[in-house]
Amino acid sequence: MAASSASTPPDILHDLTAAALKAGADAAEAVSSHRSALSVGVRNGALEDVEREESRDLGLRVFIGKRQATVSASDLSEATRTRLVERAVAMARLAPEDPYAGLAPQDRLARGPTPELDVHDPTGRTAEQLECAAAETEAAALAVPGVAKSEGGHASWSDSEWRLVTSHGFDGAYRGSGYSLGVGVIAEKDGAMERGGESRTTRHLSDLPSAQTIGLEAGKRAVARTGPRKIASTTAPVIFENRVATQVLSPLLGAISGPAVARGVSFLKDRLGQRVLPSGVDLIDDPSRPRGLGSTPFDDEGVEVSRLALVEDGVLTTWLLNSAAAAQLGLASTGHAARGLAGPPGVSTHNLHLAPGEVDLAGLMDQARTGLLITSMFGPSLNSNTGDWSAGVSGFWFEDGQIAHPVSEITVAGKLIDLYARMQRGSDLEFRGSFNAPSLLFDAVAIAGK
């Protein structure tokens, strides 16, 4: 895969891998990261902070037999690069053997031209433009009746480039941008206060909702939460709003992580090829979605990526595998290696979404009749071996399919395998991040209240 870099001279990474081989390594891979970012915060219409980031970093992983070591540096000078190679090779000689360590197999590498992902917008933003956007967002939120004070508005812009070069012939790079806008506010009712907020991040500035839209949503969400009541412990239908629904699905991703399966610490370790979600449900990972926050032309080992249904018609089809986990399990990498500048790769999804159902949120509430609508979660707890799960939540109690009143200070719990089997999907899928899901209804969930 051809690549070039305007921020890092094109020969540096090749020089690093070549120097590592000359110093005694059997194989090596070098990565570079260049990032420019600007963020601005305001409070009560006044500038509160401005942060500027300019970083250029290198990472090097070397292999001596089945021993490996990784090092990183933020200085690109020749002297630093020389020390980087010396340190990495010396560390690898002393490292314990890992029978599964090594570069990705060459037949799994991404080849050919980089696909057009449309994840880079060169527009950029100045500090003045960011300050204006943040202030406008805050003002829109403060204008909502019932909002008492601001926790601050924020706006940011970033531009980053990632490049990977290996000693067995891979050379790939891609560039991405990010634009963010958000605000947090506090609403007050009868002397009691509740927080609420809204924020969005997009690849292109043109896709970012307006300051007015974000501010209004933040204010409305804060006001809606005022006057919460406590409820008695019970078992009832529970709906996870689409904004938080991914949090109840996240343990599934950890459970199908190749490293976790290889260690035997997964409540799904024996469920490959079996139904783990209701029939008709697909969980899809699409690394090539245009403008996706998780879009990438290759994984962090240079392995080819492709659209993949992790769960198809409710059946678990694959583990999430990097090269080491794949080797340990006797399988092939699925293109889900993820790493920073230092340390060996772990695994991660790209643009993941749960395919929507046919009933909107109002329809799910009408179907359940009475129950709990969860709009925020905190402090989740999971037994990775059994799938026993619990989380602190807040949201709204609904009766006869209609919101009755806000609730807080409650906990929901259950065994995820059982909950997943009874999951019903809403139709309100929104692509807001790199993991998205519609609202999810579970017919009977244990709720711990007062």
Side-chain angles (χ1 to χ4, degrees):
M1 175 175 290
S4 63
S5 169
S7 55
T8 302
D11 57 345
I12 281 186
L13 299 189
H14 288 285
D15 288 349
L16 271 178
T17 56
L21 298 183
K22 186 176 180 180
D26 298 316
E29 66 178 16
V31 294
S32 66
S33 171
H34 178 246
R35 175 178 165 84
S36 299
L38 180 62
S39 63
V40 172
V42 301
R43 188 186 294 267
N44 298 320
L47 182 64
E48 188 170 59
D49 58 74
V50 179
E51 294 185 7
R52 176 78 189 188
E53 176 188 351
E54 288 284 349
S55 61
R56 299 173 65 190
D57 302 290
L58 291 174
L60 177 66
R61 183 162 67 134
V62 302
F63 302 88
I64 298 179
K66 289 298 181 179
R67 305 174 192 271
Q68 66 176 315
T70 62
V71 292
S72 63
S74 55
D75 177 3
L76 274 61
S77 69
E78 184 176 352
T80 296
R81 301 199 308 270
T82 298
R83 289 195 298 270
L84 205 66
V85 170
E86 292 173 349
R87 189 181 308 123
V89 172
M91 290 169 59
R93 294 188 193 281
L94 298 174
E97 286 199 354
D98 177 352
Y100 308 108
L103 296 176
Q106 286 186 290
D107 62 355
R108 298 289 295 118
L109 297 178
R111 301 294 187 187
T114 303
E116 179 51 58
L117 303 175
D118 198 19
V119 293
H120 182 251
D121 176 1
T123 303
R125 303 203 87 179
T126 65
E128 291 77 12
Q129 288 172 324
L130 293 174
E131 180 183 357
C132 181
E136 185 180 347
T137 306
E138 181 189 50
L142 288 171
V144 176
V147 172
K149 61 181 69 175
S150 171
E151 292 193 304
H154 57 87
S156 66
W157 158 84
S158 66
D159 189 303
S160 60
E161 184 179 52
W162 173 268
R163 186 175 177 214
L164 168 69
V165 169
T166 71
S167 60
H168 66 354
F170 181 82
D171 185 347
Y174 61 95
R175 192 173 180 183
S177 56
Y179 297 84
S180 298
L181 187 61
V183 63
V185 292
I186 297 175
E188 184 176 2
K189 181 180 181 181
D190 300 328
M193 297 185 179
E194 292 291 332
R195 288 183 168 88
E198 170 73 334
S199 64
R200 292 294 298 272
T201 298
T202 60
R203 290 289 196 178
H204 283 243
L205 179 59
S206 61
D207 292 336
L208 197 63
S210 70
Q212 184 69 26
T213 298
I214 292 176
L216 179 62
E217 182 66 20
K220 288 169 58 178
R221 293 181 73 85
V223 171
R225 297 179 64 178
T226 57
R229 306 179 194 175
K230 295 183 179 180
I231 59 174
S233 297
T234 186
T235 297
V238 168
I239 298 174
F240 293 84
E241 184 187 37
N242 57 3
R243 293 165 179 255
V244 299
T246 56
Q247 296 182 51
V248 76
L249 293 173
S250 292
L252 185 150
L253 303 183
I256 66 173
S257 159
V261 173
R263 294 195 307 270
V265 288
S266 164
F267 64 91
L268 296 178
K269 62 181 181 292
D270 299 319
R271 303 295 292 269
L272 187 64
Q274 299 181 28
R275 178 155 280 118
V276 295
L277 296 177
S279 60
V281 176
D282 295 335
L283 182 63
I284 299 167
D285 193 24
D286 184 3
S288 58
R289 184 162 63 83
R291 302 193 180 191
L293 291 179
S295 296
T296 179
F298 50 84
D299 80 355
D300 287 352
E301 291 181 308
V303 170
E304 183 178 13
V305 294
S306 60
R307 190 177 190 272
L308 183 65
L310 308 182
V311 176
E312 186 171 15
D313 192 23
V315 175
L316 179 62
T317 66
T318 184
W319 307 126
L320 300 175
L321 299 172
N322 57 23
S323 295
Q328 191 169 357
L329 294 171
L331 301 168
S333 171
T334 57
H336 287 100
R339 60 165 295 184
L341 291 168
V347 297
S348 179
T349 55
H350 306 296
N351 291 309
L352 188 66
H353 75 272
L354 187 77
E358 299 180 353
V359 180
D360 62 12
L361 177 58
L364 290 179
M365 292 171 60
D366 185 64
Q367 182 177 322
R369 303 306 297 163
T370 297
L372 176 65
L373 170 63
I374 294 173
T375 58
S376 65
M377 296 174 57
F378 54 90
S381 174
L382 172 70
N383 182 320
S384 58
N385 289 303
T386 65
D388 291 316
W389 174 88
S390 65
V393 301
S394 63
F396 300 89
W397 187 255
F398 61 91
E399 297 174 354
D400 296 325
Q402 302 294 320
I403 296 293
H405 56 80
V407 295
S408 63
E409 299 182 25
I410 50 179
T411 300
V412 294
K415 186 177 288 290
L416 288 176
I417 290 179
D418 297 335
L419 290 177
Y420 290 157
R422 307 196 310 274
M423 182 180 77
Q424 299 178 60
R425 298 162 293 151
S427 61
D428 54 348
L429 175 67
E430 296 179 340
F431 289 97
R432 298 172 59 93
S434 58
F435 184 13
N436 304 279
S439 295
L440 301 175
L441 166 64
F442 300 88
D443 60 4
V445 179
I447 303 171
K450 63 182 178 180

